[in-house]
Amino acid sequence: MARLQDKVALVFGAGSIGPGWGNGKASAVAYARAGARVACVDINRAAAEETVGLIVAEGGEALTLSCDVTRLADVEAAVSATLERFGRIDILHNNVGHAKMGGPTELSEEEWRREIDINLTGMFLACKAALPAMIAKGGGVVTNISSAAGIRYTGYPYASYYASKGGVNQFTVGIALQYARQGIRANAIMPGLMDTPLIYQQIAGAHGSTDRMVQERHEAAPMGRMGTGWDVANAAVFLASDEAAYITAVCLPVDGGLTARCV
């Protein structure tokens, strides 16, 4: 039997910001390949629809939803639609994130608050909306996508990203321990230097050119290469499976050794 047979996964950020495989898109497809039915949510409905199309083409079952994770009403509607279609939620996967360059002197207050809302408050709202249904059925798994930037300076000047991802880590630990006796497991995945569509949209400018960015990020990775969305997806499937039944409150680096290096 497949590892996640008969499970239902609700994936916020299941679309990709550009061509290729982002963490959320790969995770949604990986959940489906492991036997789960998947609600694919993205602020860009067409991006979510693309992921659903890939799942359905492989014989899986998926639902397309659109949502702004910074709006509680939107998040609640996505949770309700998932419950209406599938009857339960076993896996809540929070993947939405954004990297805005700038420190306190460069960012406006509005930009700072927006980044915190996208990267951290959205996960709070998703848990607020989905946890009651998960607890009512006896438990479930929450997987929050954080970053190596949550525990290390990565060389980029994005203060709001460091702050929000550090918040994601401790938020995850908090809910894991608060709800452990109610059957909830919660873990964070901390990707390192990854080759996903997001970096071409939000990070390339910090390197001067796309080619230079790719080269420098490969060289900075201890293994000599960046990871991919599938590395995150494989970790997510494991954490959601019964094989990880005694794993909770963990912030798991998926970074090729990046955060273990002292220089």
Side-chain angles (χ1 to χ4, degrees), residues 110-207:
E110 291 74 19
E111 287 172 325
W112 167 268
R113 292 185 184 279
R114 179 64 176 167
E115 293 301 296
I116 298 298
D117 278 350
I118 292 171
N119 293 338
L120 180 56
T121 306
M123 296 190 183
F124 162 75
L125 296 179
C127 289
K128 182 177 182 63
L131 279 175
M134 299 172 81
I135 291 169
K137 74 167 189 61
V141 176
V142 178
T143 300
N144 294 324
I145 305 305
S146 180
S147 170
I151 60 172
R152 294 287 189 276
Y153 181 73
T154 61
Y156 295 109
Y158 44 27
S160 58
Y161 196 71
Y162 294 118
S164 58
K165 291 303 186 178
V168 167
N169 288 351
Q170 200 58 18
F171 171 69
T172 304
V173 169
I175 61 175
L177 297 182
Q178 180 178 351
Y179 299 105
R181 294 293 181 96
Q182 293 167 275
I184 299 296
R185 291 191 299 109
N187 297 291
I189 296 174
M190 300 188 298
L193 295 166
M194 315 303 283
D195 191 356
T196 64
L198 180 144
I199 68 171
Y200 298 89
Q201 298 284 334
Q202 298 176 16
I203 292 177
H207 292 262

Side-chain angles (χ1 to χ4, degrees), residues 9-27:
L10 171 57
V11 181
F12 285 96
S16 182
I17 197 171
W21 291 93
N23 296 329
K25 180 179 176 182
S27 294

Side-chain angles (χ1 to χ4, degrees), residues 19-259:
W21 291 93
N23 296 329
K25 180 179 176 182
S27 294
V29 172
Y31 284 138
R33 289 176 177 174
R37 295 171 290 168
V38 187
C40 297
V41 190
D42 203 273
I43 194 168
N44 181 345
R45 187 177 182 87
E49 185 64 46
E50 179 189 6
T51 304
V52 168
L54 292 167
I55 291 171
V56 171
E58 294 185 358
E61 186 177 355
L63 170 67
T64 301
L65 296 168
S66 181
C67 169
D68 179 345
V69 298
T70 69
R71 298 174 59 88
L72 179 58
D74 278 17
V75 175
E76 289 177 333
V79 169
S80 295
T82 302
L83 291 170
E84 182 177 353
R85 170 72 176 270
F86 297 127
R88 57 191 290 158
I89 297 171
D90 301 286
I91 302 158
L92 172 62
H93 183 106
N94 290 311
N95 183 77
V96 177
H98 189 269
K100 177 71 175 179
M101 296 296 167
T105 62
E106 293 84 25
L107 290 175
S108 68
E109 181 182 353
E110 291 74 19
E111 287 172 325
W112 167 268
R113 292 185 184 279
R114 179 64 176 167
E115 293 301 296
I116 298 298
D117 278 350
I118 292 171
N119 293 338
L120 180 56
T121 306
M123 296 190 183
F124 162 75
L125 296 179
C127 289
K128 182 177 182 63
L131 279 175
M134 299 172 81
I135 291 169
K137 74 167 189 61
V141 176
V142 178
T143 300
N144 294 324
I145 305 305
S146 180
S147 170
I151 60 172
R152 294 287 189 276
Y153 181 73
T154 61
Y156 295 109
Y158 44 27
S160 58
Y161 196 71
Y162 294 118
S164 58
K165 291 303 186 178
V168 167
N169 288 351
Q170 200 58 18
F171 171 69
T172 304
V173 169
I175 61 175
L177 297 182
Q178 180 178 351
Y179 299 105
R181 294 293 181 96
Q182 293 167 275
I184 299 296
R185 291 191 299 109
N187 297 291
I189 296 174
M190 300 188 298
L193 295 166
M194 315 303 283
D195 191 356
T196 64
L198 180 144
I199 68 171
Y200 298 89
Q201 298 284 334
Q202 298 176 16
I203 292 177
H207 292 262
S209 73
T210 297
D211 289 344
R212 185 175 178 183
M213 172 190 70
V214 172
Q215 179 183 354
E216 291 179 348
R217 285 171 65 90
H218 280 317
E219 291 176 353
M223 295 178 70
R225 61 176 177 82
M226 288 186 279
T228 73
W230 291 106
D231 294 308
V232 172
N234 291 335
V237 169
F238 167 70
L239 289 173
S241 73
D242 289 343
E243 296 164 24
Y246 205 55
I247 298 176
T248 195
V250 166
C251 298
L252 175 68
V254 178
D255 66 355
L258 183 71
T259 54

